[in-house]
């Protein structure tokens, strides 16, 4: 089937070069902070997959990786804070230094749930690294130790982020310009 409509890609908010530079800086900072610790990166699927795979390559401290997949009830653009675990971690995290790697923190409700859920498993430490954050939209007060970029209140796609599962493969972050 041919789709002749224009792609719904609006203004670019974070260019590919800026993503690369920031990921390198975050990797350096995380490497220094976690030297000699027991770092477990927890990637939140699917949005964080590109960020996580680039970030890992910039971390020189020994680390392991595991994944969670969650679905937030609500509309396509507004999460309700009621979160369902679609895929849980493969292994216990008790006593480990866990770093949650998220694509974007919007209301913060999903992250608040994850912090409570993983916190209850008694890791030694639990911190968050988010590529993007929309501070204007925050409803839950969540502490983000490492942030890539603050962006305005726009729905964005690319670099792992989707609209109905498409556009994750764009190498930059852009506003979604469709309906
Ligand atoms: P929160 O619970 O913080 O409101 O929402 C977090 C989740 O909503 C993110 O992990 C992401 O999956 C989705 N989300 C929030 N804002 C955006 C956005 O601008 N673009 C995309 N593609 N997903 C978003």
């Amino acid at each position: 089937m041919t789709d002749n409509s224009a792609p719904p890609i609006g203004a670019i908010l974070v260019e590919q070069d800026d993503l690369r530079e920031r990921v390198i800086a975050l990797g350096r900072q995380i490497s220094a902070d976690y030297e000699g610790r027991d770092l477990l990166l927890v990637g939140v699927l699917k949005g964080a997959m590109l960020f996580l795979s680039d970030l890992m390559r910039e971390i020189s401290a020994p680390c392991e990786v595991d994944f969670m997949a969650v679905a937030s009830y609500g509309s396509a653009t507004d999460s309700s804070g009621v979160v369902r675990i679609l895929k849980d971690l493969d292994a216990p995290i008790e006593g480990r230094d866990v770093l949650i790697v998220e694509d974007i923190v919007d209301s913060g409700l999903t992250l608040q749930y994850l912090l409570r859920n993983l916190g209850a498993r008694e890791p030694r430490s639990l911190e968050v690294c988010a590529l993007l954050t929309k501070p204007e939209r925050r409803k839950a007060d969540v502490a983000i130790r490492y942030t890539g970029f603050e962006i305005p209140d726009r729905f964005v796609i690319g670099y792992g982020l989707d609209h109905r599962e498409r556009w994750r493969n764009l190498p930059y972050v852009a506003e979604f310009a469709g309906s």
Side-chain angles (χ1 to χ4, degrees):
M1 198 175 76
T2 320
D3 182 359
N4 292 321
S5 53
I9 305 168
I12 295 182
L13 293 189
V14 192
E15 297 279 1
Q16 196 170 356
D17 286 351
D18 297 328
L19 284 167
R20 167 123 201 87
E21 218 173 273
R22 189 74 191 115
V23 168
I24 290 172
L26 286 171
R28 282 214 189 105
Q29 206 183 335
I30 292 167
S31 305
D33 292 350
Y34 285 90
E35 192 54 58
R37 313 260 300 271
D38 180 24
L39 176 58
L40 175 70
L41 301 168
V42 169
V44 185
L45 295 172
K46 300 173 189 170
M49 64 179 183
L50 297 199
F51 177 43
L52 174 66
S53 60
D54 285 345
L55 181 67
M56 279 189 83
R57 278 177 277 201
E58 304 302 333
I59 297 177
S60 54
C63 65
E64 292 177 25
V65 65
D66 203 344
F67 294 97
M68 274 187 96
V70 295
S72 176
Y73 289 102
S75 68
T77 53
D78 275 297
S79 84
S80 62
V82 182
V83 175
R84 190 161 50 108
I85 295 182
L86 303 177
K87 185 224 170 289
D88 206 342
L89 298 175
D90 289 340
I93 56 169
E94 191 181 338
R96 305 205 60 183
D97 293 303
V98 174
L99 181 61
I100 299 174
V101 181
E102 260 283 25
D103 53 355
I104 186 162
V105 183
D106 185 25
S107 68
L109 293 169
T110 305
L111 188 57
Q112 183 178 55
Y113 171 86
L114 278 174
L115 284 167
R116 283 191 187 141
N117 184 292
L118 296 183
R121 305 182 197 191
E122 300 184 356
R124 191 164 84 111
S125 64
L126 182 59
E127 302 287 352
V128 178
C129 176
L131 175 69
L132 303 170
T133 168
K134 294 185 204 169
E136 289 168 52
R137 297 260 305 170
R138 202 70 91 248
K139 287 186 194 151
D141 186 21
V142 282
I144 306 175
R145 173 109 180 244
Y146 308 95
T147 303
F149 301 89
E150 287 192 357
I151 60 165
D153 179 9
R154 305 272 191 286
F155 191 83
V156 293
I157 51 173
Y159 198 60
L161 289 130
D162 74 312
H163 176 260
R164 299 199 182 138
E165 295 303 326
R166 284 207 176 170
W167 315 110
R168 295 189 196 275
N169 55 322
L170 297 176
Y172 46 78
V173 174
E175 273 183 46
F176 175 70
S179 48

